[in-house]
């Protein structure tokens, strides 16, 4: 009933920039938060950045000052502008959204399929 579709991953050299985008579609009543997680090979999935419908945006310490998350409420979308990329940023990046759908008033967690970001040294 809800789909999250990511775009914008790819290969970039260290110091470069990439922009990730994610759009949610389906029977959406409201979106509580949208954000990005990442999972590097052999590591657990970790929060990169998250923006709630109200309140403070959260960033992982490792990306503060380099990544900027922005939300497009009109289009149920979230973007992640990544700058000064480092090889350690290499990971699969997953879009996440906590959404209430029309047929069920509970807040549910939804995930995109992931987009690979590779930063070469």
């Amino acid at each position: 009933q809800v789909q999250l579709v990511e775009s914008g991953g790819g290969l970039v050299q260290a110091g470069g920039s990439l922009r990730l985008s994610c759009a949610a579609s389906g029977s959406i009543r409201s979106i509580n938060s949208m954000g990005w997680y990442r999972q590097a090979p052999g590591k657990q999935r970790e929060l990169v950045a998250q923006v709630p419908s109200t309140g403070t945006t959260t960033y992982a310490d490792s990306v503060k000052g380099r990544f900027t998350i922005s939300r497009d409420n009109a289009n149920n979308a979230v973007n992640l502008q990544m700058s000064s990329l480092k090889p350690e940023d290499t990971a699969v990046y997953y879009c996440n959204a906590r959404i209430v759908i029309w047929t069920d008033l509970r807040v549910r967690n939804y995930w995109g399929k992931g987009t690979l970001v590779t930063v070469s040294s």
Side-chain angles (χ1 to χ4, degrees):
Q1 288 180 306
V2 172
Q3 279 192 320
L4 300 183
V5 178
E6 302 123 330
S7 62
L11 173 64
V12 65
Q13 287 189 330
S17 299
L18 278 176
R19 181 180 176 87
L20 305 182
S21 296
C22 170
S25 62
S27 183
I28 297 171
R29 181 177 186 270
S30 62
I31 300 179
N32 286 18
S33 68
M34 297 190 80
W36 291 91
Y37 286 69
R38 68 186 180 186
Q39 187 166 18
K43 294 188 177 182
Q44 289 190 328
R45 192 174 297 190
E46 63 175 0
L47 174 69
V48 176
Q50 186 175 61
V51 52
S53 54
T54 58
T56 305
T57 298
T58 301
Y59 291 95
D61 287 343
S62 59
V63 308
K64 283 180 181 177
R66 299 188 299 121
F67 291 10
T68 301
I69 191 169
S70 60
R71 190 166 158 179
D72 179 356
N73 291 324
N75 294 301
N76 291 333
V78 64
N79 302 304
L80 185 69
Q81 179 66 47
M82 304 184 293
S83 302
S84 301
L85 283 160
K86 304 175 181 180
E88 51 264 43
D89 294 318
T90 295
V92 177
Y93 284 70
Y94 296 92
C95 180
N96 170 264
R98 292 178 59 77
I99 293 173
V100 179
I101 61 175
W102 285 104
T103 56
D104 182 346
L105 296 183
R106 291 174 292 181
V107 179
R108 292 183 179 272
N109 221 14
Y110 292 89
W111 294 93
K113 293 183 179 181
T115 184
L116 177 62
V117 171
T118 303
V119 184
S120 63
S121 57

